[in-house]
Amino acid sequence: MKFFVDTANLDQIKEAYDLGVLDGVTTNPSLMAKEGIKGKEKQYQHYVKICDLVQSDVSAEVISTDYEGMIKEGEELAALNPHIVVKVPCIADGIKAIKHFSNKGIKTNCTLVFSLGQALLAAKAGATYVSPFIGRLDDIGDDGIDLVAKIVATYRYYGYATEVLAASIRNVTHILQCVEVGADVATCPLDAIKGLLNHPLTDSGLAKFLADYKKVNG
Ligand code: E4P
């Protein structure tokens, strides 16, 4: 399973990259706003900085909600760097735009996916990635992982090439559940990725090894 980090923060992206296990980055307008990056030019420069840092897929989301706007914006974003993946909301004009980008060989991430029907349309339009939002479904009492599992099974059954990119991941349990259901990618906050390392027996075992070494070697 590939690991993407779900942030626009350059320090966090660098920390995830330096771990040596990073396969890409996802951003969204809220994450960009959190970094205080104002204005199209600055935002585009920020995407390029992220691409230069990680040299792998970086999702950059369009703000337009109409077909023409999405095409213009998506083509601008794709021209910034070959690692840009154009992130498009799962609405009718978005599906049409994904089809257009797919025909032009531009990578896409179909975002804000909350149902199997939406995921089916994204795959049929030729999306590179589909992003079901686990945490937001859990928040309303639905079952985010169950949706990821259904999309994975459906894509495998019909042989769709679209990769299932589990998003809105909030914790380590979500990541491990993604592994169990065979998601292709999990995009996670940095803390959740680092949380995979935590085990008390690792900490106590290491402390004992070092203490025993010190007893003999001083
Ligand atoms: C990433 O592609 C999504 O935009 C992100 O995971 C959404 O996460 P949230 O539900 O925690 O905002």
Side-chain angles (χ1 to χ4, degrees):
M1 188 175 74
K2 289 188 241 177
F3 274 123
F4 288 3
V5 69
D6 195 22
T7 181
N9 181 281
L10 290 177
D11 291 337
Q12 288 190 17
I13 293 168
K14 181 157 180 358
E15 191 178 339
Y17 177 79
D18 287 345
L19 259 182
V21 297
L22 190 69
D23 301 297
V25 178
T26 51
T27 66
N28 63 35
S30 305
L31 293 170
M32 291 291 279
K34 209 170 153 187
E35 298 310 307
I37 305 153
K38 246 195 197 166
K40 189 162 133 176
E41 202 180 318
K42 288 236 165 66
Q43 283 159 7
Y44 281 14
Q45 284 166 4
H46 196 76
Y47 290 135
V48 172
K49 279 186 202 161
I50 298 175
C51 291
D52 288 345
L53 194 59
V54 299
Q55 299 287 324
S56 54
D57 284 0
V58 175
S59 287
E61 190 158 341
V62 297
I63 306 301
S64 309
T65 53
D66 63 298
Y67 175 74
E68 283 77 17
M70 286 186 200
I71 299 303
K72 184 173 175 291
E73 216 185 314
E75 289 184 355
E76 278 173 13
L77 287 167
L80 291 175
N81 188 287
H83 293 298
I84 290 285
V85 175
V86 180
K87 204 172 179 193
V88 179
C90 194
I91 56 178
D93 280 25
I95 295 297
K96 277 165 64 181
I98 287 169
K99 181 74 188 170
H100 166 90
F101 292 134
S102 160
N103 288 340
K104 290 193 81 174
I106 293 173
K107 284 187 173 186
T108 53
N109 174 354
C110 186
T111 190
L112 290 166
V113 167
F114 295 95
S115 75
L116 182 59
Q118 291 177 319
L120 187 62
L121 291 176
K124 286 186 72 71
T128 314
Y129 298 105
V130 68
S131 288
F133 276 37
I134 298 173
R136 293 194 196 188
L137 277 171
D138 289 359
D139 287 346
I140 59 158
D142 210 323
D143 186 344
I145 290 295
D146 183 57
L147 175 62
V148 175
K150 281 184 177 139
I151 298 172
V152 168
T154 303
Y155 283 7
R156 302 239 159 105
Y157 181 81
Y158 288 104
Y160 288 120
T162 302
E163 292 187 50
V164 182
L165 193 172
S168 189
I169 283 179
R170 304 271 166 80
N171 50 49
V172 169
T173 305
H174 278 157
I175 301 178
L176 297 177
Q177 287 171 323
C178 284
V179 174
E180 281 173 25
V181 302
D184 300 291
V185 190
T187 188
C188 321
L190 178 61
D191 281 348
I193 298 177
K194 290 199 292 188
L196 292 170
L197 279 169
N198 294 343
H199 202 288
L201 292 179
T202 304
D203 298 339
S204 59
L206 182 59
K208 173 94 171 72
F209 285 156
L210 295 180
D212 288 346
Y213 175 89
K214 223 174 160 190
K215 265 188 229 159
V216 176
N217 298 281

